[in-house]
Every structure is written in structure tokens, then in C-alpha cells.
Amino acid sequence: MNAGAQPGETDTQPVPDDTPVDLEAAFRDSQVQEVLDKLDRELVGLKPVKTRIREIAALLLVDRLRRQLGLITETPTLHMSFTGNPGTGKTTVALRMAEILHRLGYVRQGHLVAVTRDDLVGQYIGHTAPKTKEVLKRAMGGVLFIDEAYYLYRPENERDYGQEAIEILLQIMENNRDDLVVILAGYKDKMDRFFLSNPGMRSRIAHHLDFPDYAAEELMGIASLMLAQVQYRFSPEAEKAFGDYIHRRMKMPHFANARSIRNALDRARLRQANRLFARARERLTKRDLMLLEPEDIVASRVFSEGVPDEQLSGAGPK
């Protein structure tokens, strides 16, 4: 402190308004672009969602620069709601959001803890609070992702303990928002009803992101990406057959976007393995092990019976 300073004063000088700010360098140093690029590689389409994630990242970066320059800042409310049908990439985006928040210094660790009602709500009196608090303890310093969050609230059952979990969550979301980000996820219509019934929860959600269903062309791109990740690929004829499969499957019950595509590819690989095993005495090549042929696709019950394979096998999406 300077000799002439009064008690409570410091010799810290305010930063002049014309102090230059290198936003590009700050963004580069944060390495957030690496996470955004990873998100682009992992998920086809979802342009509105990716745009919103970039906007949030930009807001947080500017907020961090303001803090460094001594401007007034408040801990931003970062709790989010992800709505959309199954298989639209909500969990993947939550994972990358945790990474972004960590790189910008808004959470300490950047890990993701994904849970459902069963992880939070107990079956008897005195069971819910310890379960919920244990999950929150694991999630601190990162992101808590609650899938199908509307199942926490069951007003038709007076002996249900979901409301106790909600009250604990509300308290932590408000008091520990500098150390935990909560993302609630589920079908849009059910999440809307959940928020109407729980205005305290809605008031704590700053960002609402709606995940659209994929178009047929996007699902074909997702299929090719999934196969490439495990070093498989379609033959030209198989690619046409799978395009036909996608159009048929999208019209059927329990379609789950990318999740249904992954299930279909798993079964196609199973059929390919059986086809190759039947030719075990023949000369096979590396290419044979990588290539999916039309017969691996059209053997699906989607073509023969108009029924999803997973529905008949009992392996449908939850």
C-alpha cells in the first residue's frame, strides 16, 4: 500500500478502457476449438445445437476476459436443458460441454456423471437424500447429466420420494453453481410439463437446447462414420440397401435416430460374420473382413416383415 493510501484502499490501478484485448489469442490458448472440432467429427448435422454450444463458449470466454480486466462479472448460471428424441446426441454434447467448461475454468475437473431417476431416488423413507447427495458428491467439479429427468416428479404417487431429490438438487444448483453444472435431458413435451410443475427448476435453467431428429441423409452419414471408426465400410450395393433400410426404419415404431442406426449396423456385422464363416474354406482377404454386402442388410426383418429387428429380439431402445 502507498504511504498516502487510506485504510481499505490499495494501489491497484484500474485498467484503461483502451487496453487492447486479443480475443483470438485467448480463444486459441483455451484450446476450446479442439473440443468443437471433436464435436463436429463425432456428430453429423445438429447445426442449431453446435451453433448454440459455440455461442455459450464465446460468452464464457468474453466473461473470463472481462474478469481479467477488472470488469464486473457474476458467476454465470450454466445449468441446461437438452430436449429431443433418443439417439440425437444429447449425451455426447453434454460430454463435450463438460470439456469446454473445464478448459475455460468454470468447472474444476470437467468430468461427466450421467444418471437417471434410479440413481437419485430411494425406495423408502430416508433413502433418497443419501443417494442424491452421493451422486452430487461424485459430480462436483464437473457436469451432472440427468436423463429422462421428468421421471423425478410423479405427483400421482403420494408415496414417491422424487420431490425430495428435486429439492436437494435445487439447493445445490443455486448454492454450488460455481462448482457444478446440471444438465436435464429428455423428450421435449415431457420436459415442458416437468418445468411447468417445477417452476423452481425452470428458473435455474439458463440454456435450453432442442436436438432435432436426423434426416435420412444425415443418418446415412452417421452410418458411414460409425463403420469407419471400426474399419468397416459398405459396398456400393450395400450402401443403397442401407439407404432403403433407413427410409423404412424411420417410419416404424420406436425409431431412435443414431441409436437405431448403431443397432442395425451391429446386426449387419453379425450377418457378415456368419456369411464369412460359411465361406471359411474359401480364400478370404482383408477386404472381405471390412466390407458389408447387400445381403448383410436386406436380411433384416425390416424388409421381410416390416418389423424392427430389435422389437422382435427384445432389444429395443428404452
Side-chain angles (χ1 to χ4, degrees), residues 8 34 57 59 98 170 203 231 235 245 261 293 305:
E34 294 179 11
L59 173 66
L170 287 173
S203 68
Q231 294 187 310
S235 71
Y245 172 92
I261 296 302
E293 296 290 359
E305 301 177 31

Side-chain angles (χ1 to χ4, degrees), residues 229-278:
Q229 288 172 343
V230 290
Q231 294 187 310
Y232 280 80
R233 65 175 183 269
F234 291 119
S235 71
E237 296 78 12
E239 186 171 359
K240 292 179 182 178
F242 199 75
D244 189 8
Y245 172 92
I246 289 173
H247 283 285
R248 291 169 182 258
R249 183 66 186 88
M250 290 177 72
K251 298 175 183 177
M252 295 178 182
H254 309 297
F255 178 65
N257 289 280
R259 192 180 304 171
S260 289
I261 296 302
R262 184 178 296 281
N263 290 341
L265 294 177
D266 286 344
R267 289 187 293 276
R269 290 168 57 195
L270 180 65
R271 297 185 193 107
Q272 184 234 36
N274 281 298
R275 174 172 58 81
L276 294 177
F277 194 78

Side-chain angles (χ1 to χ4, degrees), residues 43-71:
L43 295 176
V44 172
L46 293 181
K47 185 176 179 180
V49 173
K50 292 176 179 177
T51 297
R52 188 65 181 278
I53 294 299
R54 290 176 184 274
E55 289 172 349
I56 293 172
L59 173 66
L60 297 181
L61 183 63
V62 169
D63 181 78
R64 188 167 76 164
L65 287 175
R66 285 175 55 88
R67 189 163 60 248
Q68 291 172 357
L69 293 171
L71 293 169

